[in-house]
Amino acid sequence: MSLGPWQLIIIALVVLVLFGRGRISEMMGDFGKGIKSFKEGMNEEDGSASKPSPRIEGPAHEAKPASEAAADPKPADTRDSAH
């Protein structure tokens, strides 16, 4: 069962009588503002994704390869052990 043109006209008239012309235009304005705000939020999200993320730095001391570290148990740099 589908709605024909006459049923749609009757529904539109009932809505117009219940809410009035001013209230309907106000609701449509709020609906438009909501869509605009949603689009701006999506654009901000897309813009933040294109920015590079901050670089994560490794430790400040020089690390030895595993083979050298096994042969020499002393740490590569003693500056960090003073803390």
Side-chain angles (χ1 to χ4, degrees), residues 8-73:
L8 293 176
I9 292 172
I10 292 171
I11 291 171
L13 288 174
V14 169
V15 169
L16 186 62
V17 167
L18 289 176
F19 293 108
R21 190 178 127 176
R23 180 70 180 137
I24 292 174
S25 64
E26 183 181 324
M27 287 190 314
M28 289 298 114
D30 291 342
F31 182 72
K33 288 177 187 176
I35 290 176
K36 182 179 178 183
S37 175
F38 176 76
K39 287 182 179 180
E40 288 174 357
M42 293 298 291
N43 287 337
E44 287 176 8
E45 183 178 302
D46 291 342
S48 66
S50 65
K51 294 179 183 176
S53 60
R55 183 179 170 141
I56 300 174
E57 298 292 330
H61 61 83
E62 296 272 337
K64 293 182 179 180
S67 59
E68 289 180 24
D72 184 17

Side-chain angles (χ1 to χ4, degrees), residues 59-65 75-80:
H61 61 83
E62 296 272 337
K64 293 182 179 180
D77 189 357
T78 58
R79 286 183 289 162
D80 290 337

